[in-house]
Amino acid sequence: MMHLTISNASEEPIYQQILTQIKTLIIQGEMSGGEALPSIRALAKDLQISVITTKRAYEELEREGFIDTVPGKGSFVAVQNRELLREQRLRVVEEKLALAVNLARSAGIGLSELQEILSLIYEEED
């Protein structure tokens, strides 16, 4: 059974919190291909949120290829290559780091200082 946590204090919309958490569970392998997700109604009841909010998150997950919905049967984790998902995420990280490197260069920040900054930020997030 997947466990999701919704924060009312978060700036992130509730549907986005659901979306992000389910994607993370799938990418990290905590939910595997073919595994059933709770029904939209059951998840809404469990999280004490609107069915519309849950439906929006599921629709977005399906649009992005993370889940498949079978009418009358429910929603399931899409059977896909986890390595491919990781590669997609890695590509986004590389793009963001390339932007950071360009900004650092234009500000006269050297590689060792940039690595130190990255290390501090990375460790801070843990």
Side-chain angles (χ1 to χ4, degrees):
M1 180 73 191
M2 70 178 185
H3 177 74
L4 304 179
T5 306
I6 300 303
S7 169
N8 291 324
S10 174
E11 300 262 328
E12 191 176 39
I14 292 173
Y15 87 92
Q16 188 67 49
Q17 292 179 48
I18 295 168
L19 187 70
T20 301
Q21 290 178 57
I22 292 176
K23 279 185 189 180
T24 300
L25 290 171
I26 294 169
I27 289 170
Q28 292 178 344
E30 293 178 38
M31 294 185 77
S32 49
E35 187 175 332
L37 274 73
S39 73
I40 290 171
R41 275 189 169 68
L43 184 60
K45 184 179 178 189
D46 184 46
L47 297 175
Q48 298 182 336
I49 60 171
S50 164
V51 173
I52 294 168
T53 302
T54 309
K55 186 175 191 292
R56 183 173 178 190
Y58 276 32
E59 285 173 345
E60 186 66 29
L61 285 163
E62 186 166 21
R63 202 171 14 262
E64 292 183 24
F66 283 89
I67 67 171
D68 294 317
T69 301
V70 181
K73 299 211 185 244
S75 297
F76 303 87
V77 175
V79 178
Q80 57 186 303
N81 186 338
R82 269 200 10 241
E83 197 58 36
L84 179 62
L85 286 174
R86 188 178 183 287
E87 280 297 317
Q88 290 170 342
R89 281 268 167 102
L90 188 56
R91 185 176 44 82
V92 171
V93 169
E94 287 172 355
E95 289 171 6
K96 301 288 185 191
L97 286 174
L99 288 171
V101 166
N102 289 335
L103 284 170
R105 281 187 179 136
S106 67
I109 298 170
L111 179 59
S112 61
E113 192 176 357
L114 186 60
Q115 288 172 327
E116 185 180 340
I117 293 168
L118 181 60
S119 292
L120 287 170
I121 292 170
Y122 191 86
E123 290 165 11
E124 187 179 281
E125 293 297 314
D126 276 349

